[in-house]
Amino acid sequence: MASYNFFFFVMSFILMQLLAAINGATFDQNYYAYWGLNHFKLVEPQDEVQLLLDQSSGSGFKSRSEYESGLFRIKMKIPEQKTGGIIPNFYLISNFDSGRDELDFEFMGSKGLLQTNIYTGGLGGREQRLQLPFDPSQDFHTYTILWNQHQIVFFVDDIPVRVFKNETNKGVKYPTKAMHIEGTIWYGDWAGEVDWKLSPFIVHYKDFNNITACSASQFPGAGQCYSSSSGFFWNLPPFLELNNQQKHNLEMVQKSWLVYDYCKSSNINLKIYPECSMT
């Protein structure tokens, strides 16, 4: 069974790469700039986007489609100037209302402190923070979110750094709303103090064709994007749980990179976050 799962994983990964290559989509086909347009730059031949932040504005782009499951990857290089307060990010989000779902990669400043967060039905507060063992401003690194009806997994360079299981049968809320993709840079006091003397700050993005997901508009109807019979490989083994090597890598990350976990906060409310009693 283990050899079968490994073979299936390899074949699915190859299929994912082939789908991305066949897609060959440019930025404009999958995304568009939606705010801070004078702080947005598309580098020809549409293979890189640069978002700029200064005291007047940040910038952002979003996907043209909404999705209900999939594997979402982007390559990102954060600003080189070392400061707190700036927030370069990559995330999935539903319509912004009180009941939104959201899956976040967001840097707290530019010193390698990476936060992940999960909103379900408008409830966030599920922050985990990682001090990365490399400088994410010196090169592009790949940030991936796997989302199916069994688990959400955050990956950095194909290393799992966080898993959130679907445990709705135990009273834990789980993201179910269609979400679009966004990449933005802005600033917030909660991420530290910005040294504006170092601005402008520029975050770089690549790999805009790397959306391997179920479009909510192309596959309408209850459960089609979640079904294992729809042919979406991310809804099949081995994407339903981590394999042994991935579990080992996640354990390493939790021991060596993790600097904050909401579940270990002294004032955690287990009635609001029942998943913390299951870890």
Side-chain angles (χ1 to χ4, degrees), residues 100-201:
R100 77 184 187 276
D101 290 342
E102 185 175 340
L103 307 175
D104 297 332
F105 272 120
E106 48 193 6
F107 281 93
M108 299 176 64
S110 52
K111 300 177 183 179
L113 184 60
L114 177 64
Q115 176 170 280
T116 61
N117 197 3
I118 297 169
Y119 281 76
T120 61
L123 176 66
R126 296 185 176 90
E127 297 93 350
Q128 287 188 359
R129 296 172 194 151
L130 305 168
Q131 185 62 52
L132 298 178
F134 56 83
D135 185 343
S137 73
Q138 296 303 299
D139 201 356
F140 284 93
H141 292 270
T142 302
Y143 303 88
T144 305
I145 299 172
L146 167 66
W147 171 36
N148 58 36
Q149 282 302 292
H150 292 264
Q151 63 177 355
I152 294 161
V153 186
F154 294 84
F155 296 87
V156 176
D157 291 333
D158 296 324
I159 296 173
V161 300
R162 181 175 186 175
V163 175
F164 188 81
K165 290 284 191 179
N166 185 343
E167 296 181 303
T168 51
N169 61 328
K170 300 177 182 178
V172 180
K173 291 185 177 180
Y174 194 79
T176 58
K177 295 183 178 180
M179 293 189 275
H180 61 268
I181 307 165
E182 293 193 21
T184 67
I185 185 170
W186 49 286
Y187 70 91
D189 294 341
W190 59 269
E193 184 177 352
V194 181
D195 186 352
W196 290 112
K197 297 190 301 293
L198 301 177
S199 66
F201 305 101

Side-chain angles (χ1 to χ4, degrees), residues 18-31:
L18 288 174
L19 287 172
I22 291 170
N23 183 2
T26 63
F27 173 85
D28 283 341
Q29 289 173 285
N30 279 337
Y31 297 92

Side-chain angles (χ1 to χ4, degrees), residues 65-100:
S65 298
E66 291 187 323
Y67 305 94
E68 291 187 338
S69 67
L71 198 58
F72 308 87
R73 302 164 69 94
I74 201 79
K75 288 186 177 178
M76 180 166 54
K77 181 170 65 171
I78 70 172
E80 293 186 0
Q81 306 96 312
K82 303 308 178 193
T83 185
I86 66 172
I87 306 169
N89 51 57
F90 170 69
Y91 55 98
L92 308 179
I93 186 170
S94 66
N95 289 333
F96 200 86
D97 56 31
S98 60
R100 77 184 187 276

